[in-house]
């Protein structure tokens, strides 16, 4: 019988025990806190590493009240300027690449 070295067993166990990651994307902070907050809380309670991407400043007091990691994205609900939309699109792509979430909710 062949045994695996301890470090390989530990790495194998850690890789199977990683938390699933969810990213919740919204275009309005007030809407997120009034409508999507229960989704984020449920995901966190179910063991997901929960990330929220909304156009909110870190100085917003609501951000520090929850166990999620908030990411500020440059979304403007009323924007019709292609440059702003492209900037938001690129910011989301970079966030997807950085986080590599298992699930994305828009």
């Amino acid at each position: 019988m062949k045994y695996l070295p301890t470090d390989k067993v530990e790495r194998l166990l850690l890789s199977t025990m990683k938390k699933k990651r969810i990213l919740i994307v919204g275009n309005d902070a007030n809407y997120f806190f009034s409508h999507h907050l229960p989704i984020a809380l449920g995901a966190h309670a179910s063991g997901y590493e929960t990330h929220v991407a909304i156009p909110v400043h870190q100085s917003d007091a609501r951000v520090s009240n929850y166990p999620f990691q908030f990411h500020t994205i440059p979304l403007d609900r009323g924007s019709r300027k292609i440059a702003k939309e492209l900037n938001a699109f690129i910011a989301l792509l970079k966030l997807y690449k950085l986080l590599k979430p298992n699930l994305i909710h828009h």
Side-chain angles (χ1 to χ4, degrees), residues 10-23:
E10 287 176 3
R11 275 188 276 143
L12 182 63
L13 286 173
L14 286 174
S15 69
T16 59
M17 293 171 36
K18 284 184 182 177
K19 281 187 172 183
K20 299 272 187 193
R21 186 175 294 146
I22 185 171
L23 173 62

Side-chain angles (χ1 to χ4, degrees), residues 4-76:
L4 290 172
T6 305
D7 62 329
K8 284 187 180 181
V9 172
E10 287 176 3
R11 275 188 276 143
L12 182 63
L13 286 173
L14 286 174
S15 69
T16 59
M17 293 171 36
K18 284 184 182 177
K19 281 187 172 183
K20 299 272 187 193
R21 186 175 294 146
I22 185 171
L23 173 62
I24 300 171
V25 179
N27 65 352
D28 183 61
N30 291 328
Y31 187 83
F32 168 79
F33 286 109
S34 65
H35 291 83
H36 289 174
L37 184 60
I39 296 169
L41 288 171
H44 180 73
S46 296
Y48 279 88
E49 180 183 322
T50 308
H51 294 259
V52 178
I54 54 177
V56 67
H57 297 287
Q58 297 299 329
S59 61
D60 190 332
R62 297 174 293 185
V63 170
S64 62
N65 293 336
Y66 298 101
F68 326 125
Q69 184 167 351
F70 284 90
H71 303 274
T72 301
I73 51 174
L75 282 176
D76 184 8

